[in-house]
């Protein structure tokens, strides 16, 4: 999402959390005001400064309030380093990952592996990720 067009859910999460924080701050300030003499105008000014702080910090911290997106590896291209029999290794950028060919989560038999004809040095597309294992398929041309 671009910086100007923020996700409404992100804004709602931020406002909700900051509202609770502001409420706690106001209550703490009210308790403090019982011990020291704070005029209503000073009290209001402090609360408005606190709210202004939240508004000004939103662009800097909004990324932390966004929901997690999909895995950035999915859809990328990888190069087979070790042939899949039934699993192997691929290189994605500078990283080496354990991989297996796409298919059902059931055991993949030798015929299915031969049908995909994925060889060492060939490019594959990352279809999914299951923990530390990438699920790959032959790249379509």
């Amino acid at each position: 999402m671009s910086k100007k067009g923020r996700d409404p859910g992100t804004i709602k999460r931020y406002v909700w959390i900051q509202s609770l924080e502001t409420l706690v701050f106001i209550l703490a300030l009210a308790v403090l005001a019982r011990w020291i003499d704070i005029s209503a105008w000073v009290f209001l000014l402090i609360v408005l400064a606190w709210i202004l702080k939240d508004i000004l910090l939103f662009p800097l911290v909004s990324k932390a309030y966004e929901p997690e997106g999909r895995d950035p590896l999915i859809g990328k291209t990888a190069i087979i380093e070790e042939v899949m029999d039934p699993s192997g290794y691929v290189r994605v950028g500078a990283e080496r990952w354990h991989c297996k060919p796409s298919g059902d989560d059931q055991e993949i038999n030798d015929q299915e592996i031969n049908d995909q004809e994925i060889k060492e040095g060939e490019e594959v597309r990352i279809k999914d990720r299951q923990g530390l294992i990438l699920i790959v398929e032959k790249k379509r041309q």
Side-chain angles (χ1 to χ4, degrees), residues 100-117:
K100 68 180 186 179
S102 65
D104 295 332
D105 287 337
Q106 302 167 352
E107 220 27 65
I108 299 170
N109 62 38
D110 290 334
Q111 184 60 41
E112 290 177 25
I113 293 168
N114 292 335
D115 288 347
Q116 287 196 21
E117 298 176 17

Side-chain angles (χ1 to χ4, degrees), residues 2 4 11-12 17 20 33 39 44-45 51 55 64 69 91 97 102 104 109 111 115 117 119-120 125 135:
S2 70
K4 289 184 180 179
I11 296 169
K12 284 178 186 175
I17 291 171
L20 292 175
S39 71
L44 184 62
L45 188 63
I51 294 170
I55 292 169
R91 178 146 315 268
W97 285 81
S102 65
D104 295 332
N109 62 38
Q111 184 60 41
D115 288 347
E117 298 176 17
K119 300 178 177 95
E120 194 172 319
R125 186 181 78 80
I135 310 301

Side-chain angles (χ1 to χ4, degrees), residues 90-102:
V90 293
R91 178 146 315 268
V92 183
E95 298 175 345
R96 183 178 173 160
W97 285 81
H98 190 79
C99 70
K100 68 180 186 179
S102 65

